[in-house]
Amino acid sequence: MPITKILIANRGEIACRVIRTARKMGIKTVAVYSDADARSPHVEMADEAVHIGPSPAAQSYLLADKIIEVCKATGADAVHPGYGFLSERTSFAEALKAAGITFIGPPPGAIAAMGDKIESKKLALRAGVNVVPGFVGEIDNTEHAVRISEEIGYPVMMKASAGGGGKGMRLAYNEQDVREGFEATKREGLASFGDDRVFIEKFILQPRHIEIQVLGDQHGNIVYLGERECSIQRRHQKVVEEAPSPFVTPEMRKKMGEQAVALARAVGYYSAGTVELIVSGADTTGEGFYFLEMNTRLQVEHPVTELVTGLDLVEQMIRVANGEPLGFTQEDIKLTGWAVENRVYAEDPYRGFLPSIGRLVRYNPPKQKKGVRVDDGVEDGGEVSIHYDPMIAKLITYGDTRLEAIDRQITAIDRFELEGPGHNLDFVSALMQHPRFRSGNITTGFIAEEYPDGFHGAPASPELLQRLAAIAAFIATAEADRKLRVSGQLGNRLTPPSEWRVRQGDIAMEVSVSEDAIIVDGEVVDMSMGYTPGDRMAIADFGDEDVSDELAVKVQRTRTGFALTARGATHRFEVLPAHVAQHARHMIEKVPPDLSRFLLCPMPGLLVKLHVAEGDKVQVGQPLAIVEAMKMENILRAEKAATVKTISAAEGDSLAVDAVILELE
């Protein structure tokens, strides 16, 4: 019996994604939702929606029994689990099978086999898949360690068996390094952990995270759909994904793909799945790739594969679950063009990527057109909740070449309006503009290496600052012209200013705006632009009749000018009429208040612990409070020696960003 109604055991973006494909295939859908998601888009999109519990996932989306009950009550004959939640839980797949409900995913046995990290590596080894070479047995002495290292191939990492926190580790590039480091590693292990056992494994130079998408049916046909490069990560969380990889050659792709298929075949795999590999960027032979794990579900980054193959992976999963054979063979799979995906997260890159929650005061993604795709599950007025993943949307762009896809990302990010919680749009725009990223020379350490002191906005070129100054002066002229038309705003005989001084930091520019031209510091800027006072976004074109060169800028009024956001940073411009600017030196500078004596909450969260009371003396680095946000505890410490003067919050309070917890003196 073909599938007639699918329950989506998930929420947000992926639930909307599955509903769109099911609707295209003429299949009815059932959404489930928690208290927090009662007004979410996936609830509205589905043909039916059923409430399954309170906001915490453990009381709603993770209740397998409840979801099966809803299937029976609504007549849903299949379940798509999306990713996360129950998607890789063997017991859930088995319970559905026992209830006669189709699981749109792989067989339970494959999920179980790949869910155990150690067993899956043993399976991979038996299937002829490369695994990171290593030796985990008893190592007799230094000579034995040298022989093992030479068999594995340098460089190798010697690690204390009970090690952790970076202790008991030695990197060896040659025999001498092993002879000098092996005994030292044993001693460190014994001193720190009471265990002198050591194991040795291959050290991967310039590591890249590359994964192979596989797809199989229930008739034994399995294909690979090329690779995705997922090396741009922060704290092991993927930020940027692309397909294909700028590092992988056709020969390497074939080897990786065939090994991934062999692994899938070894566990009787069908449906969509991903084999994750760690790849040595320093190994140009194409042999330096090693199995990490297999994800037995749809991946967050599946859209980039869809764009370069022309396949709808959700549709393929449904067809496979229906028992249909794949409608193509490996020879039919062709990778065309390039696709890049950025994950838009609710986090503040300017404050150490602290999680952010709250209402989406404004959510207006770029228009979906040729080469631009947005996968989301939120809308204006929606809430980014503390209970779930902080991903707001996925922005995917496509081009004939890698740089074309990347440049489309930059343009689309500029047109992405997002207000309310903090977000990482500036950061991902900066990544897209970074010369090293654009060159393709990336590793999993990219963000840590390129932003060691945190993110402070993308640097602006002199040309960009000149263009923004022209835009700022144009906006100021338009606003002055509007004031002229409002009775009494500029008096009876005044005309709007046309000469402006535009200052950004220490840089001051003289800008003249007329009907004929815009001149910045004596240089004509060829710009056409439409702007009505109050517009949140201005789009200026610096091209000519033949070639467009648009710059989209988000506009926010400030006390003396405008904050213009474009190309990965917000630039604050003071804009004054030239005849006023000459008196600017007499204006009183507004000095920001000294907040150093206050302990401020760095993110929205729950105050779970106060370590001090009024009158307590504290030292530098002493824990003062613990704030929980996105299920992670953050310890707030004293930045100076002081005495606690007053406490403004109590344990159990929900705090906003910059809420005062206590005052020091």
Side-chain angles (χ1 to χ4, degrees), residues 261-421:
V261 167
L263 178 62
R265 199 175 297 286
V267 293
Y269 200 89
Y270 56 78
S271 194
T274 297
V275 176
E276 299 201 348
L277 307 164
I278 186 167
V279 179
S280 171
D283 188 340
T284 55
T285 66
E287 302 287 343
F289 61 89
Y290 308 98
F291 172 76
L292 275 180
E293 62 180 338
M294 184 175 189
N295 290 313
T296 55
R297 54 170 168 79
L298 193 66
Q299 292 279 92
V300 175
E301 56 271 23
H302 73 273
V304 293
T305 297
E306 292 184 325
L307 289 177
V308 298
T309 60
L311 294 169
D312 180 332
L313 287 180
V314 174
E315 178 184 343
Q316 294 302 320
M317 291 178 77
I318 295 170
R319 292 191 181 283
V320 167
N322 254 333
E324 298 177 31
L326 296 180
F328 43 84
T329 63
Q330 190 64 59
E331 288 68 38
D332 298 321
I333 306 297
K334 300 286 185 288
L335 305 185
T336 306
W338 216 285
V340 176
E341 173 180 299
N342 273 303
R343 300 189 187 190
V344 181
Y345 283 123
E347 62 184 13
D348 191 343
Y350 294 101
R351 299 172 70 124
F353 296 92
L354 287 171
S356 186
I357 60 171
R359 191 164 299 285
L360 288 164
V361 177
R362 181 163 289 112
Y363 178 75
N364 186 21
K367 287 185 171 57
Q368 307 211 36
K369 56 182 183 179
K370 183 188 175 188
V372 178
R373 167 176 164 179
V374 180
D375 282 15
D376 59 20
V378 298
E379 59 189 1
D380 257 1
E383 192 86 16
V384 178
S385 167
I386 196 170
H387 299 288
Y388 311 119
D389 185 89
M391 191 172 72
I392 296 171
K394 301 184 309 200
L395 176 63
I396 311 106
T397 53
Y398 175 84
D400 292 335
T401 65
R402 183 171 183 264
L403 285 181
E404 186 180 346
I406 291 170
D407 287 340
R408 278 196 174 140
Q409 277 283 343
I410 298 167
T411 301
I413 291 166
D414 278 347
R415 293 170 184 259
F416 205 131
E417 289 187 271
L418 209 170
E419 295 176 22

Side-chain angles (χ1 to χ4, degrees), residues 156-282:
V156 298
M157 179 69 81
M158 296 175 287
K159 294 183 182 178
S161 186
K167 293 179 181 177
M169 296 171 65
R170 283 284 193 287
L171 185 57
Y173 286 92
N174 50 46
E175 179 184 333
Q176 184 179 348
D177 289 346
V178 176
R179 292 188 182 281
E180 291 175 358
F182 178 70
E183 290 298 331
T185 306
K186 282 174 71 77
R187 287 193 299 272
E188 281 181 18
L190 188 62
S192 297
F193 310 105
D195 186 341
D196 70 351
R197 290 176 303 158
V198 173
F199 69 92
I200 300 176
E201 66 181 12
K202 179 82 172 173
F203 181 73
I204 310 301
L205 289 168
Q206 299 173 31
R208 303 176 80 115
H209 184 116
I210 295 174
E211 56 192 34
I212 299 290
Q213 176 73 59
V214 295
L215 181 67
D217 62 24
Q218 298 185 49
H219 306 277
N221 304 305
I222 308 175
V223 297
Y224 62 90
L225 305 178
E227 79 285 351
R228 293 185 288 260
E229 172 86 58
C230 307
S231 296
I232 304 296
Q233 303 178 3
R234 195 185 62 77
R235 296 179 192 159
H236 308 294
Q237 177 79 52
K238 296 169 188 172
V239 179
V240 184
E241 300 101 355
E242 58 183 305
S245 162
F247 181 73
V248 174
T249 62
E251 295 76 25
M252 190 176 180
R253 179 176 300 122
K254 187 170 187 290
K255 288 177 187 173
M256 294 164 85
E258 287 174 348
Q259 287 195 16
V261 167
L263 178 62
R265 199 175 297 286
V267 293
Y269 200 89
Y270 56 78
S271 194
T274 297
V275 176
E276 299 201 348
L277 307 164
I278 186 167
V279 179
S280 171

Side-chain angles (χ1 to χ4, degrees), residues 618-647:
V618 299
Q619 301 301 317
V620 176
Q622 181 177 331
L624 301 178
I626 297 177
V627 174
E628 182 187 284
M630 296 289 184
K631 298 182 182 176
M632 291 183 64
E633 290 192 351
N634 302 273
I635 301 173
L636 309 184
R637 301 178 184 274
E639 294 184 356
K640 59 184 179 182
T643 301
V644 178
K645 181 181 178 183
T646 57
I647 292 180

